[in-house]
Amino acid sequence: MKRKIFVGFCVVLIYLLGLFFLNVFPNNKYTVAKVIKTKVISKQSMTDRNGNQDSLTMQRLTLKLDNKGESIIHLDNSYSLSHVLDQRYQVGEKVRIRKYSGGQKKWQLIGTRRVDALWSLICFSLFCLLMFGTVFSLKLVGTTGLNCLVLYGLVQLYAGNIFKNLTVLTFFATGVMVAIMLFVLTRNRQMAIIAMIATLLSIASAYFIGTVTMYILKDKGLHFEEMAFLTRHYRDIFKAELLLGCLGAVMDVAVSIIASMTEIKQQKPNISNVELKEEGRKIGQSIMGPMNNVLLFSYVSGAIPTLIFYLRNNLAYVYTFKMFLSLEVMRALVGSIGIVLTVPITIRAFIFLRNKRG
C-alpha cells in the first residue's frame, strides 16, 4: 500500500512539473493566447445538389496574449457545421497564434493548444498502469516504447532507400517486436519460446496464404485507389500491412492458449497428450470467435468516415462498399486465418516441447 502511495505521489509530481515547464517555457515557434470573448458576426447556410446541408459561421475572437506587450488582440475564425477542417473556439480555451510576414506583421491563428490535455492524459494513463502493478506496468510501457522505435526504424530504412525490400524488413521487424514483447513481459521462458514460435509460424502461414491468393486471382476484387497517393509500389505496402495487422491478435491467442494449457498441466501432471490437445482445442474455439470479430470491426470502423462521405453524396452502396472496404476485408480475412492457424500450431508446439522436455 505504501509503495502504491509513493508511486502515485511520484506520478503527480511528474505531472505538475511537466505542466510547469510546458507553461513557463512554451514553444518559441508560436505564442499562446487565451480566448476571453467570442462573437458570431455572420452565418451562411449552404445546400449542395444532393441535399446535404452545411453552414459556414464567422466568429470574432478576443484573445489575451501570454507574456507579450500586446495584451488584447482580435482575430476572425470561420468554421463549418462538420468541423472537419476547422473548429469553433469557446471562451476559456487556449490557442496557438503566430505572426506571419507580409506587408504588415499580423497575427495568424494556428489552432487549439492541446499539449496540456495530452500531458494530462499521458500521466493519467501512466498512473492507472502503475496502480495495477509497478514492475509489470513499467515493462509494458518500456516494450511499447521499444516497439515504436522498431517501427520508426522500419519506416526510416524503407523511406530512405537504405533497405528496399519491405517484405523482408517487415518480417524482421515483426520477429523483433514479438521477441521484445514476449521475453520482457513473460516470466516463463519456455512459454515465451513456444508463443514466439507459434506466433511467427501463424503470421507467416497467414501471410503466405493471403499473398498466394492475391497472386492467383491477380488482385481481382481488390481496389487500391485509396493508396494512389503513395510514391512506392502499393502491393509492397499492402503486404506489409497484412503482416503487421494480424500480429497483435495472433500473439494474444497464442499466449492465452499456452497460459491455459500450462495451468492445466500443473493441475493434472499425468494428463495425456490427447486430453491436453482436446483441452487446448476447446480453449482455442472459445477465443477464435471474439478475436475474429474484434479484428473485423477494428478494420471496418476505420473506413466509416469515408463510407459516410460517399454515401451522403449519392454513390451506390455496392460501389462504395466494393471500393472502400475491399482492402479492409482482406486485412481482416488474413488476420482471421492467422488466428485460426494459431490454435493448432500453438497446441502442437506446446505438446512437442513438453514431450522433448520430458
Side-chain angles (χ1 to χ4, degrees):
M1 185 65 183
K2 291 182 179 180
R3 188 177 184 180
K4 289 187 176 182
I5 294 174
F6 175 74
V7 171
F9 174 78
C10 290
V11 174
V12 172
L13 183 61
I14 293 172
Y15 170 69
L16 295 175
L17 287 175
L19 283 182
F20 174 77
F21 281 104
L22 287 173
N23 288 276
V24 175
F25 304 103
N27 194 327
N28 293 326
K29 294 181 180 180
Y30 58 82
T31 301
V32 178
K34 185 177 182 180
V35 180
I36 59 175
K37 184 180 178 181
T38 63
K39 180 182 179 181
V40 175
I41 55 178
S42 67
K43 187 173 183 179
Q44 180 182 1
S45 298
M46 297 173 290
T47 304
D48 64 11
R49 61 182 181 180
N50 295 316
N52 298 316
Q53 295 181 351
D54 201 350
S55 63
L56 185 64
T57 304
M58 181 72 69
Q59 64 175 168
R60 180 154 295 166
L61 306 177
T62 303
L63 307 175
K64 183 179 180 181
L65 303 181
D66 290 349
N67 302 323
K68 293 291 180 180
E70 301 177 65
S71 58
I72 301 295
I73 63 171
H74 300 279
L75 290 177
D76 291 341
N77 171 60
S78 61
Y79 62 90
S80 61
L81 189 63
S82 59
H83 299 298
V84 175
L85 300 176
D86 45 45
Q87 70 178 90
R88 176 187 177 186
Y89 295 99
Q90 298 179 350
V91 175
E93 284 188 283
K94 287 188 175 182
V95 297
R96 296 172 295 142
I97 58 175
R98 66 183 175 190
K99 283 188 175 181
Y100 65 92
S101 300
Q104 295 179 342
K105 286 190 174 182
K106 296 183 179 180
W107 289 105
Q108 179 185 17
L109 186 62
I110 303 175
T112 303
R113 186 175 186 267
R114 298 185 175 91
V115 65
D116 291 344
L118 180 61
W119 176 246
S120 301
L121 182 61
I122 292 172
C123 289
F124 179 73
S125 301
L126 182 62
F127 177 80
C128 292
L129 282 172
L130 294 176
M131 285 298 102
F132 286 103
T134 307
V135 177
F136 180 80
S137 299
L138 289 175
K139 288 182 179 180
L140 183 62
V141 174
T143 53
T144 304
L146 288 174
N147 285 336
C148 289
L149 289 177
V150 173
L151 285 176
Y152 176 77
L154 184 152
V155 173
Q156 290 299 314
L157 287 173
Y158 184 67
N161 289 321
I162 300 173
F163 199 96
K164 295 185 179 181
N165 194 325
L166 184 59
T167 302
V168 174
L169 192 62
T170 307
F171 263 116
F172 177 76
T174 301
V176 172
M177 288 188 290
V178 170
I180 289 173
M181 286 185 282
L182 291 177
F183 284 99
V184 175
L185 297 178
T186 307
R187 295 180 180 178
N188 191 323
R189 294 299 176 189
Q190 185 182 13
M191 184 187 298
I193 293 172
I194 299 173
M196 183 174 179
I197 294 172
T199 300
L200 294 179
L201 285 177
S202 301
I203 292 174
S205 302
Y207 174 80
F208 177 77
I209 293 172
T211 52
V212 168
T213 304
M214 290 171 59
Y215 176 78
I216 293 174
L217 298 178
K218 298 180 180 180
D219 297 340
K220 185 178 180 181
L222 297 177
H223 296 272
F224 296 94
E225 284 80 357
E226 66 179 59
M227 305 176 74
F229 62 90
L230 296 173
T231 57
R232 307 296 175 92
H233 198 277
Y234 62 88
R235 290 188 97 255
D236 293 338
I237 307 294
F238 183 67
K239 288 192 291 183
E241 291 179 355
L242 295 181
L243 270 175
L244 294 174
C246 60
L247 172 59
V250 167
M251 188 168 57
D252 186 26
V253 172
V255 171
S256 299
I257 293 175
I258 293 170
S260 300
M261 293 179 70
T262 302
E263 185 69 22
I264 293 172
K265 180 67 173 60
Q266 290 175 351
Q267 293 180 359
K268 300 178 181 178
N270 298 322
I271 188 172
S272 65
N273 289 339
V274 176
E275 292 175 327
L276 188 60
K277 183 179 178 181
E278 182 63 22
E279 292 295 332
R281 188 181 65 83
K282 291 179 181 179
I283 296 167
Q285 288 178 342
S286 65
I287 298 174
M288 282 192 299
M291 288 303 299
N292 284 329
N293 285 323
V294 168
L295 203 61
L296 175 63
F297 290 124
S298 297
Y299 281 123
V300 172
S301 62
I304 288 178
T306 305
L307 294 176
I308 293 176
F309 174 77
Y310 284 99
L311 290 175
R312 289 283 291 176
N313 284 277
N314 286 346
L315 269 75
Y317 280 89
V318 175
Y319 174 83
T320 302
F321 283 91
K322 181 174 67 174
M323 289 293 292
F324 302 104
L325 279 185
S326 62
L327 298 185
E328 308 297 341
V329 171
M330 182 63 183
R331 295 185 187 107
L333 285 175
V334 172
S336 298
I337 292 171
I339 291 172
V340 173
L341 292 176
T342 304
V343 177
I345 291 175
T346 304
I347 294 172
R348 292 182 183 277
F350 183 88
I351 294 176
F352 174 79
L353 289 178
R354 177 207 176 192
N355 294 335
K356 189 175 180 181
R357 189 179 181 185

